[in-house]
Amino acid sequence: MKFFFRISAALFLTALPLQVSAQDLTDDRVRELVRETILANPEILLDAFAILEQRAIEEEELARANVLDQQRLLLEQDPNAPVIANPEGSVTIVEFFDYNCPYCRRVKPEVQGLLAADDDIRVVYREWPILGEGSVFAAQAALAAREQDLYEEFHWAMMGMEGRAEEPSVLRIAREVGLDIEQLRIDMQAPEVTEHIETSMRLAELLGITGTPAFIIGDNVVPGAVDQATLAGFVAEAREISE
């Protein structure tokens, strides 16, 4: 509120008549004149709010950029995060997702199309189960599938399933891709599985990510089910900066 008053006062003072000296005005008089001016010129409020909004956006972008710099190694090189596509790719895409998120499923063909068109991309997956117990079970199963070298197959099958991911449907998909269910259940309890999910939660909070899917591409946080062309544009930007 104090900042808003200072903006309003600054906007007001720039419009003071030449015969009025700002140095002769007390704080109370400035407040009185500001109120009078706002009543007579309500568009001043819109100007003040626009300044506040722009400042908030700039502060948020700066904070996010700082977090990206600080967490870059963990985001892109976490040994406890699944990697698909080209492990030596020049550009890394980090995707936060939930198997019960309809937008994550919708973006599946866009990601697959991008990887088919560009073999110089590595994808790091952050299992971020935020849509209920079924999502948690699915994420645990997916991460456990790494022990049987079937993470990618299981991941794509889960993204292509119909209906909610719950224990019965997750185990059905697991059987279909050839996973040993008994071993899968054991591996789901591994500390690495819990650690990955907890790290995803922490990173998402630090980055201000509020929903799935969300992609980290270079210096950009890209929210939502964007199309292949949009993803390719961010990849090109990241590649250009790194060269």
Side-chain angles (χ1 to χ4, degrees):
M1 182 59 71
K2 289 182 178 179
F3 180 68
F4 173 74
F5 172 76
R6 288 198 296 270
I7 290 177
S8 299
L11 290 170
F12 162 75
L13 289 173
T14 60
L16 275 176
L18 293 176
Q19 63 268 30
V20 178
S21 171
Q23 295 178 348
D24 296 333
L25 296 174
T26 64
D27 287 346
D28 288 341
R29 181 54 179 155
V30 169
R31 289 188 177 89
E32 180 182 349
L33 290 171
V34 167
R35 292 189 187 96
E36 293 175 358
T37 303
I38 289 175
L39 288 174
N41 304 276
E43 65 275 9
I44 289 177
L45 285 175
L46 297 178
D47 293 338
F49 281 126
I51 293 172
L52 284 172
E53 183 178 16
Q54 182 59 36
R55 174 167 174 170
I57 291 172
E58 292 173 355
E59 290 178 348
E60 181 179 347
E61 290 176 348
L62 179 60
R64 181 172 285 176
N66 289 335
V67 172
L68 279 174
D69 286 342
Q70 296 165 5
Q71 303 297 329
R72 179 77 63 188
L73 185 63
L74 181 59
L75 281 164
E76 297 187 354
Q77 304 296 332
D78 182 3
N80 193 28
V83 176
I84 71 164
N86 182 353
E88 304 299 327
S90 63
V91 174
T92 296
I93 296 176
V94 182
E95 181 183 356
F96 287 74
F97 69 95
D98 183 308
Y99 286 114
N100 275 319
C101 167
Y103 301 103
C104 297
R105 296 182 186 182
R106 186 181 303 172
V107 84
K108 171 193 172 186
E110 307 299 330
V111 173
Q112 290 180 316
L114 177 70
L115 299 181
D118 188 336
D119 63 2
D120 194 24
I121 296 174
R122 64 190 294 269
V123 178
V124 176
Y125 279 125
R126 295 274 12 149
E127 301 271 351
W128 189 35
I130 56 175
L131 297 176
E133 293 182 3
S135 295
V136 174
F137 188 89
Q140 291 171 334
L143 292 166
R146 294 179 296 180
E147 296 301 315
Q148 299 181 49
D149 296 323
L150 285 172
Y151 176 87
E152 184 172 357
E153 291 84 348
F154 182 73
H155 171 79
W156 291 127
M158 287 293 297
M159 282 300 179
M161 72 178 293
E162 296 183 0
R164 278 190 60 80
E166 302 288 353
E167 183 172 344
S169 58
V170 170
L171 294 180
R172 173 176 56 80
I173 296 294
R175 291 188 186 93
E176 290 176 357
V177 300
L179 284 161
D180 180 324
I181 301 303
E182 183 177 351
Q183 186 61 48
L184 185 74
R185 286 187 179 277
I186 293 172
D187 294 334
M188 286 171 65
Q189 307 307 313
E192 293 81 7
V193 169
T194 301
E195 190 276 334
H196 174 96
I197 293 173
E198 290 178 348
T199 299
S200 295
M201 297 291 183
R202 180 171 60 84
L203 286 170
E205 181 178 4
L206 287 172
L207 289 165
I209 298 173
T210 58
T212 54
F215 301 90
I216 312 297
I217 310 175
D219 294 329
N220 295 291
V221 177
V222 186
V226 293
D227 60 21
Q228 180 181 335
T230 300
L231 291 171
F234 283 110
V235 167
E237 178 184 329
R239 185 170 285 141
E240 182 179 352
I241 291 174
S242 65
E243 290 178 350

